[in-house]
Amino acid sequence: MRKQSKPLAVFLAVAIACLVLSASTAAPILCRPFYYAQIGPLGLEEYTGLEEEQIRQAYDEMLDFCVGLRQDFSTGVLPWSESGRSHFADVRTLFLLDLAVLAVSALLLLGDLLLRSRRRVQPYRFLGRGPGFWAAAGLGGVFAVVGALASMDFDRAFVIFHALFFPGKDNWLFDWRTDAIILILPEEFFRNCAILIVSLLLVWSATGLMGLAVALVFLLFFYQRRWQTLFNGATAMLSGVGLFFTVVLYRLQNVFAFLIEGVL
């Protein structure tokens, strides 16, 4: 029997949490059709007087800079200031950091998967739970609080977000006359990005639960003598997870209502 390692369990839990969080955050960044699909519903053509192709060009050039595909900052036909460029340079740093965390965490977990049969230790199961469970619990706790705050007052949450990630700076407060890019990036778009990120976290967590259910069925079939113990443990865990998602969805009801009424 292989030895159990607590540091390995913590390492894997952190790696899994980083992978899921960075991948969820990267989704609205890398999936440009997510923005394109909102141009019409948000009324950006009527609001700005620009054609859809011009809006796409401005967004694409801005995003190319933010994800490191180009070194010079540009926003298509829209004017921009040095202050605005400076803010997007800060955004670029955060975006590239997120993509780096995504790549590193994915490689680390892939390496662990490939070397799993050769290593002499296995992750310790805190309270009988594996690293994946604690990664989900950690992310769930954080996003339960964040989601609750955002659903109650998204404007305040938006300000707090910028204060945390851009400390001591106010260049994120745009003047549309000098940085017209803000006209095609309304607050509703950022709210929808937040909804997408949280939704992906919930979906991927639910997918993990489906995998757990399949594993439980497998164990019940081959270990019939222990079926009662396994059933009791699975019931308790699934009840706790169900209660958690119920609370999260309740707290996010206003945000989902906005998506349905304001976008779809």
Side-chain angles (χ1 to χ4, degrees):
M1 182 177 181
R2 290 180 295 180
K3 296 181 179 180
Q4 292 189 339
S5 171
K6 292 181 178 180
L8 177 61
V10 173
F11 169 78
L12 290 177
V14 172
I16 293 171
C18 288
L19 176 65
V20 173
L21 179 58
S22 59
S24 299
T25 304
I29 298 174
L30 300 179
C31 184
R32 302 195 185 198
F34 176 71
Y35 174 79
Y36 300 156
Q38 299 182 63
I39 294 177
L42 292 177
L44 297 184
E45 292 178 274
E46 295 80 4
Y47 182 62
T48 63
L50 299 174
E51 296 180 357
E52 180 175 344
E53 186 60 33
Q54 293 176 308
I55 295 175
R56 289 194 180 199
Q57 180 186 8
Y59 179 79
D60 286 341
E61 291 185 3
M62 176 273 297
L63 194 58
D64 284 345
F65 173 79
C66 290
V67 297
L69 295 180
R70 61 184 300 165
Q71 299 303 316
D72 59 311
F73 181 70
S74 177
T75 57
V77 298
L78 301 177
W80 55 272
S81 68
E82 185 59 31
S83 175
R85 190 207 65 81
S86 176
H87 172 66
F88 283 107
D90 295 334
V91 172
R92 174 191 175 104
T93 300
L94 292 179
F95 280 10
L96 293 179
L97 176 61
D98 178 75
L99 296 177
V101 170
L102 173 59
V104 171
S105 58
L107 289 175
L108 289 174
L109 290 172
L110 178 60
D112 174 75
L113 180 63
L114 295 176
L115 299 175
R116 180 168 298 179
S117 61
R118 299 182 181 180
R119 70 188 184 198
R120 297 181 179 179
V121 297
Q122 62 183 6
Y124 181 81
R125 296 178 66 84
F126 292 96
L127 300 179
R129 308 300 182 192
F133 173 85
W134 293 112
L139 286 176
V142 171
F143 276 89
V145 175
V146 173
L149 294 175
S151 64
M152 291 186 292
D153 189 347
F154 182 80
D155 292 339
R156 181 170 178 79
F158 190 73
V159 173
I160 293 176
F161 170 84
H162 283 83
L164 289 175
F165 288 95
F166 308 104
K169 296 185 177 182
D170 59 2
N171 55 5
W172 57 274
L173 297 170
F174 289 100
D175 183 343
W176 66 269
R177 291 167 294 189
T178 56
D179 290 289
I181 187 69
I182 194 60
L183 296 177
I184 66 170
L185 297 173
E187 186 177 292
E188 291 82 0
F189 167 67
F190 294 107
R191 183 179 301 177
N192 294 339
C193 288
I195 293 173
L196 176 61
I197 292 172
V198 174
S199 298
L200 287 175
L201 287 170
L202 293 175
V203 169
W204 285 346
S205 297
T207 302
L209 289 177
M210 292 176 62
L212 176 62
V214 172
L216 287 174
V217 171
F218 179 84
L219 290 174
L220 286 170
F221 180 77
F222 286 97
Y223 296 92
Q224 296 181 14
R225 295 180 180 180
R226 300 181 180 180
W227 71 270
Q228 187 64 49
T229 302
L230 290 171
F231 178 79
N232 291 339
T235 301
M237 183 182 64
L238 292 176
S239 297
V241 174
L243 177 61
F244 163 72
F245 283 124
T246 300
V247 173
V248 171
L249 291 175
Y250 174 77
R251 292 296 186 180
L252 291 175
Q253 60 181 329
N254 292 336
V255 180
F256 284 111
F258 168 83
L259 177 63
I260 295 172
E261 298 174 4
V263 178
L264 300 180

